[in-house]
Structures are given as structure tokens and as C-alpha cells.
Amino acid sequence: MNIYSGRIKELRKAMKQEGISYYMIPTADFHQSEYSADYFKEREFFSGFDGSNGTLVVGHDWAGLWTDGRYWIQATQQIKGSGIQLMKMMEPGVPDIPTWLFENMDDGEVLGFDGRCVSRREGAGLAELLAGRNITIKCNEDLGDPIWKDRPLLPCHPMFELSDEQAGESFAEKVGRLRDVMRDNGASYYVCAKLDDLMWLTNLRGNDVECNPVALSYGFFSMDKQIIFVQNDEVTEEIRKTCDKHKIEIMPYGDFDRFLKEFNYMGNVMYDPESVSYGLYLTIKAGIRNCEHLSCHTSPVKLIQAESPITIMKAVKNPVEIRNIRDIYKEDSAAVCRFIYWLTHEADISNITEYDAAVKMDSLRKEIHDFIELSFGTITATGPNAAMMHYEPSADHSAKLKREGMLLMDCGGTYYRGTTDMTRTMALGKVTDEMKKSYTLTAAGNLGLLNASFMKGCTGRNLDILAREPLWAVGSDYKCGTGHGIGYVLNVHEGPQNIRWRFSKGADAVEFLPGMIVSDEPGVYKEGKFGIRIETILICVPKCKTTDGEFLCFDPLTFVPLDKELIDPQYLSDREMAELNEYHRQCREEMLPYFESDKDRDIKQWLIDATEAISK
């Protein structure tokens, strides 16, 4: 018996004891975060799948794992032998989880999940849909906890802060903007459960999620009070002084549920249904019911559902953030240029693994003076491994490099000047015509989006075609979005802006605004053969105003040359060729000042050669 099938067997015993027919285990923590600390990796504990997105559904005689196209290859390998069926999200014939449960559960059965790890939107949607079948939901218990005997502790690390000068805006200014939105929505209170939202608002940071500088925390805001709920050991003397200065009250993290249940609500409560858990939502409702009998209430308290106003505030970077971000991306790009030169001109490939290459890249990034941590685990992948979009090598599971094929490297860092992310794919030696064609078309899509001009009001769905069209023209596609936002000394994945062609409620409706940052990362992934991704980070800037309206465009933040060894000019139009040469001119102009010392003259010459204009 596979270790995971054994764990699922124990879970089924607990389900029978609780009268639960199906039990759902999502990826999220109590804050609906994309990436979670080890304490919250219960889905991985029961399935073996460790990707960042996926939900396990366990019945008494069936189990299925839903995940998206980024992880199908990886998930197939990791759940093998567990008895879990892979459910490929958004593939024809594969229903989403609510639909599958509605079609497969019997009337009167019970669905269970930990309500703290499911968003209000998802939980309420399930409850409403399944009520038609007389199916009830039991969400007040974590059935996996007693089975997970060696579960890691809840993470707890000292917090740190950004000065107003680093952040570009004080807490008082930010919370003032939040209260303006609350007034506009008729709300007296705002419940904040989204970790990076609360960190940005308060200018505080933490270390509770690997590669995400956030602290496990909640926020509760009225028109004259602000309370944050954090673990006591997170609060240093400096943090306490800062909170005192801003009149931020600190309460224990574990008291948030009790606080919401016992609070005397004198007005409407506003919350974000994507980040507030279903369990918290039910707690707030219970708290409102508890105080409805008080004579001082002249009108009923309402729950106001709204997308987080903080999310859009932090997505539009202020002038200080933009200046620092532009600065750090140049230094970060220089570190990647050093890596590429080392790999292609100095390293003894025969003695290097994917993991060794990642360690080398990490060491170069750590030399930058205000480095805090990596923004995610560095991905270095060659051959078939590169076809797995989020493959990450380890010391004991890593392929050796050869002077043939390609290396895909996706990497980034968090610094006191910002958070970086970028991907380049480079030739290690002899490459095939198929590789060169795929790389060239990927480059054409990357440059097409980089050079976009578009009217204000456009969303990511309007722009996605610019990156995909060269690949779609030959019947190729990549099973993921094209672009995501990036935080400022925060999470490497940030919304609400994104670039993708599939409809997704909410996020796709967000228009691009000057100051928003987004990745531009088309790719080609051939299972069992190779993977290619080119990721350049862009910032939205004004272009012009005419009688027809206001136009925007993008500036590149990443300045790392594309690999001319992988470019086949026959697949580029004259316009695309000009765009490639112009981008390389910018790379040369921005990067040469970092390689002016005598010890760097070989890298300098490499950069000059790598950015020489090409023609047909």
C-alpha cells in the first residue's frame, strides 16, 4: 500500500465517524493564500502532490485531485500508486468541483471541509448549490489534523517594517484611503484577512510563508480604530513602538474568531469574499446575530461583500515604489547576466546539475546589498524536466547538464527595493530545429506584448492574444496565464491585474492602470522533450492622449538578452526582428554600466556580442 493511500484510508475512517460522505482538502491556509507554510500543506500530506494549486476530494471509495495545466505532468508522477484520480481542470469533459459533487453525491449526504481554508465565495457557492439536493455541509473541523502526527508547528517569526521613505506612503495615508472606500460603501468596519493586503497597508512585513514576506495576521478597521491580530512572538519591541505610534492595537492571532463573535457591531461590515474564509464569514454572521437584540440597534447590520480595496491600491505602485523597483530590476538583471556568462563560458557543464546551477544563481543574487530572501524557489530545468512548468530541482533529485539542449531558469528575489521575477531559456550546446522554432515564436509573442500600445480600459483578456498569436498560428499553446502582477517587497504573484485569455470572474475585469506591474511569460512545453519560457517584467506607463482617447504602453523592467543561438530569423517578421533588436539595444544600454571594471571585461564583451543586431 502506497503511503498516501494509507493516509487516505485513515481519513475515510474519520469521515465515517463524523458522518461525512466526501471530504475536501484545498491548498489554502486560513487566509486563502496562494503559497502556504508547511503547517497548512494537508493536501500534500494526503496526496503527495506538492504544487501550489490543487484540491483533493476524498469519498469512501473514490478520490480525485483537481489541478490546472501547469501541474498535470508533475501531478501524474506524484499521485501514482495512491489511488487518486487526476482531474485536469478546464479540460473538456472534466467538471469543476461543485458540479462534480452535485452530480455524484446522493441526496441527504454530508460534505466536509475545514471552513478556515475555504473562501467565503467558494463555501457559500457550494452550500447554495448543494442545498438543492438536501446535501449539508460540515465545516467546523479539520479531520486531517489527528492523522498528521508530526505536523509542523504554526509558523511564527519576528516581523520587520518598511520605513515611510521606503514604502512611499505612510500607514495613516493608506488607512485614510481605505476608510474613504468604506464610507463610499456604507460600511463602518472592514475585516482584512489577506496577508499581503495587511502587510502593505501597515508597512509591516513578516517571515511566516517561505519566500513571501508576510506574517500570519488579521486586521479589523473601524472609522477610528485599527487592530491587528498576530502571534505574540511575532511582535518585536520595534514593531510594538511602531504600532503604538500609529495607534494600532495588537491582539493575539488566535483571538480573532472570538473577537468577531463577541464584537458589538454598530454598523455595516465590509469584507472580501475571496480572502475571508467561509468559517470567518459564518463567525461574523453569528456575531451580528448575537448583538441584534441590543436596544441601541435602530437598523439591521448588513454584511457588505466587495473586492478588497487594498488589493487595487497596492497594485498601482507609487512613485517611490516605482523608482526603487526600476533600480532593483537592473541590479537583478545584471546578476542574471553574470549567471548566463558563467554557465555558457566558464562552467564545467559535465560536473553541474540543475540544482548546482540554481545554487549558483542564488549566490549571485544574495550578493546584492539589500537582499532579503528569494521570491520563490529557483527553477532550473533541462530536457523533459523543463516541460513541467513549476519543476524545482533539489540536491537529491536533479538532472546533470550537458552541452546540448537548453536550460530554463525562472528565478527572483525580494529586496528592500522590491520583488523580482524573470525567466530566460538558454542554449547549452547543440539544439534542434524544433527547439529553435519554438523559442523564436515564444520570443515573438514576448516582444509583441512588451511593445503593445492599448487604450486605457483594456484588461488582460484584451492583451493576451499578443503573446499567444505567434504560437496559436502554428497550433501551439501553453496551459497557463501569460502574466501576473508582482508585489513591492511582497508576494511574487499579486493581483488583481493579470494577462490570460480564459474568463475568470473578477480578476479579468480589472483594467490596466499606469503603475501596475505585470509579467510577460509565454512558453512552449513539450512533454518528455523540452520546455521553453521567456519572462520579462513590464510596468504600465502612459503613452499619449489624442482625440480618440488615452493610450497606455509598457516599459520593460527586465534587461537580460534573449539567446540569439535559439533565434531562427525565418520565423520573425520584419517588425518582430526590429522589436528584438530594439530590446537588445536597451539591454546593452542598461547593463553595460554594471560591467565596467577590469575583472568584468569578458562579461562586458559577451553582453556586447549578445545584443548585436541580427537580420535575415
Side-chain angles (χ1 to χ4, degrees):
M1 182 183 293
N2 172 289
I3 186 174
Y4 301 107
S5 61
R7 290 171 179 173
I8 289 174
K9 184 178 179 181
E10 291 298 309
L11 179 61
R12 284 173 173 148
K13 289 180 183 177
M15 290 164 57
K16 286 181 179 179
Q17 291 172 357
E18 295 294 329
I20 291 173
S21 308
Y22 285 88
Y23 191 74
M24 184 174 72
I25 307 175
T27 300
D29 58 15
F30 301 156
H31 307 268
Q32 316 315 304
S33 305
E34 178 185 14
Y35 297 106
S36 302
D38 289 346
Y39 174 88
F40 298 102
K41 294 180 179 178
E42 192 167 294
R43 184 216 62 209
E44 180 180 337
F45 174 80
F46 281 104
S47 70
F49 171 61
D50 61 6
S52 68
N53 181 39
T55 299
L56 178 66
V57 176
V58 177
H60 291 297
D61 54 9
W62 182 88
L65 174 74
W66 275 258
T67 191
D68 63 67
R70 295 173 296 169
Y71 294 110
W72 292 344
I73 301 172
Q74 176 183 339
T76 299
Q77 296 174 359
Q78 292 182 330
I79 66 175
K80 187 177 181 180
S82 66
I84 300 169
Q85 180 179 339
L86 177 61
M87 305 294 284
K88 296 182 177 180
M89 291 168 61
M90 294 185 289
E91 277 289 275
V94 179
D96 59 22
I97 291 174
T99 303
W100 191 94
L101 291 170
F102 184 83
E103 293 174 349
N104 287 273
M105 292 185 73
D106 294 330
D107 289 0
E109 287 192 321
V110 177
L111 171 67
F113 55 80
D114 183 349
R116 299 170 299 176
C117 297
V118 172
S119 74
R120 184 272 172 195
R121 190 186 297 280
E122 184 180 5
L126 280 167
E128 182 179 352
L129 175 68
L130 299 179
R133 297 282 308 279
N134 196 31
I135 294 169
T136 57
I137 287 178
K138 192 171 185 178
C139 64
N140 57 354
E141 193 170 348
D142 176 5
L143 292 189
D145 187 63
I147 301 169
W148 195 354
K149 303 296 185 184
D150 57 349
R151 187 172 196 162
L153 296 174
L154 198 68
C156 181
H157 303 88
M159 298 171 72
F160 62 101
E161 63 180 303
L162 299 185
S163 68
D164 291 354
E165 290 73 25
Q166 289 172 304
E169 189 176 5
S170 69
F171 165 72
E173 293 169 315
K174 291 178 178 180
V175 79
R177 287 206 275 159
L178 171 62
R179 285 173 175 141
D180 288 342
V181 177
M182 291 165 60
R183 288 188 193 94
D184 291 343
N185 283 271
S188 300
Y189 311 102
Y190 182 70
V191 174
C192 181
K194 199 166 187 286
L195 299 182
D196 57 328
D197 274 12
L198 189 57
M199 296 295 98
W200 180 85
L201 184 71
T202 59
N203 291 336
L204 301 177
R205 299 294 188 269
N207 294 286
D208 288 346
V209 180
E210 185 178 6
C211 299
N212 286 198
V214 297
L216 294 180
S217 52
Y218 295 102
F220 187 85
F221 300 90
S222 68
M223 290 302 172
D224 59 359
K225 285 188 177 183
Q226 43 269 336
I227 308 171
I228 61 171
F229 295 76
V230 296
Q231 298 174 87
N232 291 333
D233 289 344
E234 305 257 11
V235 184
T236 65
E237 190 58 35
E238 290 75 17
I239 294 298
R240 195 170 297 280
K241 288 178 181 177
T242 296
C243 289
D244 288 344
K245 172 185 172 184
H246 294 299
K247 295 182 172 59
I248 299 173
E249 185 178 351
I250 300 173
M251 295 184 69
Y253 178 74
D255 286 356
F256 193 53
D257 270 58
R258 181 174 58 82
F259 174 89
L260 292 177
K261 190 173 290 185
E262 297 177 357
F263 187 78
N264 182 21
Y265 299 94
M266 301 297 293
N268 298 332
V269 184
M270 181 175 163
Y271 72 99
D272 173 18
E274 294 289 355
S275 56
V276 166
S277 72
Y278 188 56
L280 278 184
Y281 163 74
L282 295 177
T283 299
I284 298 169
K285 285 186 69 175
I288 291 173
R289 284 196 301 269
N290 289 340
C291 67
E292 281 178 344
H293 68 280
L294 298 177
S295 59
C296 56
H297 283 271
T298 57
S299 59
V301 174
K302 296 178 182 177
L303 274 169
I304 299 173
Q305 180 177 303
E307 292 181 15
S308 167
I310 304 172
T311 297
I312 189 66
M313 291 178 197
K314 78 175 187 296
V316 179
K317 310 308 181 194
N318 65 49
V320 171
E321 290 173 328
I322 292 172
R323 183 181 69 242
N324 288 341
I325 287 167
R326 286 185 181 276
D327 189 46
I328 190 55
Y329 263 93
K330 291 177 186 178
E331 283 199 54
D332 195 79
S333 294
V336 175
C337 286
R338 288 185 185 278
F339 170 85
I340 295 175
Y341 177 79
W342 169 81
L343 182 73
T344 55
H345 289 76
E346 295 182 339
D348 180 1
I349 289 285
S350 62
N351 292 316
I352 293 175
T353 66
E354 296 165 325
Y355 180 75
D356 296 329
V359 170
K360 175 65 175 181
M361 182 64 251
D362 295 348
S363 70
L364 292 170
R365 188 166 267 117
K366 290 173 184 177
E367 291 177 6
I368 297 174
H369 72 88
D370 60 347
F371 175 84
I372 297 173
E373 63 178 339
L374 299 178
S375 57
F376 57 96
T378 297
I379 297 169
T380 43
T382 187
N385 290 341
M388 294 184 281
M389 294 185 198
H390 283 206
Y391 166 85
E392 185 179 337
S394 61
D396 55 359
H397 183 76
S398 182
K400 280 197 170 184
L401 304 190
K402 301 175 183 178
R403 282 292 177 204
E404 62 182 42
M406 303 173 290
L407 180 74
L408 183 157
M409 184 177 70
D410 190 345
C411 57
T414 297
Y415 309 84
Y416 279 100
R417 284 171 289 164
T419 301
T420 66
D421 182 13
M422 62 85 60
T423 308
R424 287 295 182 266
T425 303
M426 59 216 78
L428 294 175
K430 184 179 179 181
V431 293
T432 66
D433 290 342
E434 181 186 18
M435 291 175 181
K436 292 182 75 170
K437 180 179 180 180
S438 295
Y439 183 93
T440 305
L441 295 176
T442 301
N446 174 273
L447 293 164
L449 179 57
L450 188 161
N451 287 280
S453 296
F454 52 96
M455 287 198 71
K456 186 177 183 301
C458 281
T459 71
R461 291 188 73 201
N462 301 124
L463 301 176
D464 185 88
I465 185 63
L466 297 172
R468 289 187 199 263
E469 195 278 333
L471 293 167
W472 280 2
V474 297
S476 184
D477 188 36
Y478 44 97
K479 304 295 183 184
C480 62
T482 297
H484 59 82
I486 299 173
Y488 177 74
V489 199
L490 271 175
N491 300 357
V492 74
H493 290 166
E494 179 180 278
Q497 76 277 21
N498 64 71
I499 298 176
R500 59 188 178 204
W501 68 271
R502 288 185 186 273
F503 173 78
S504 179
K505 185 175 176 62
D508 297 290
V510 175
E511 68 175 271
F512 271 92
L513 298 171
M516 283 184 170
I517 292 173
V518 69
S519 65
D520 168 9
E521 46 183 313
V524 172
Y525 306 92
K526 299 289 187 181
E527 184 173 356
K529 298 171 70 175
F530 63 82
I532 294 166
R533 181 161 63 252
I534 301 173
E535 179 184 21
T536 301
I537 308 305
L538 313 175
I539 183 167
C540 182
V541 296
K543 183 174 185 180
C544 63
K545 287 184 180 181
T546 71
T547 55
D548 288 324
E550 184 176 348
F551 291 82
L552 307 174
C553 62
F554 293 120
D555 277 351
L557 295 173
T558 308
F559 294 104
V560 178
L562 307 191
D563 192 340
K564 292 194 297 182
E565 294 297 316
L566 289 166
I567 295 289
D568 187 337
Q570 69 173 307
Y571 299 113
L572 294 177
S573 66
D574 290 343
R575 174 177 174 174
E576 291 163 345
M577 185 80 70
E579 290 174 344
L580 174 61
N581 288 334
E582 171 57 21
Y583 177 67
H584 277 170
R585 184 198 66 77
Q586 293 178 60
C587 289
R588 180 187 295 193
E589 179 181 301
E590 298 292 349
M591 289 295 99
L592 276 179
Y594 292 92
F595 305 114
E596 291 296 347
S597 68
D598 288 342
K599 68 181 179 66
D600 285 334
R601 65 171 167 260
D602 289 340
I603 302 179
K604 179 179 180 180
Q605 187 57 54
W606 164 82
L607 178 64
I608 292 171
D609 295 340
T611 54
E612 280 290 335
I614 62 173
S615 66
K616 292 190 176 183

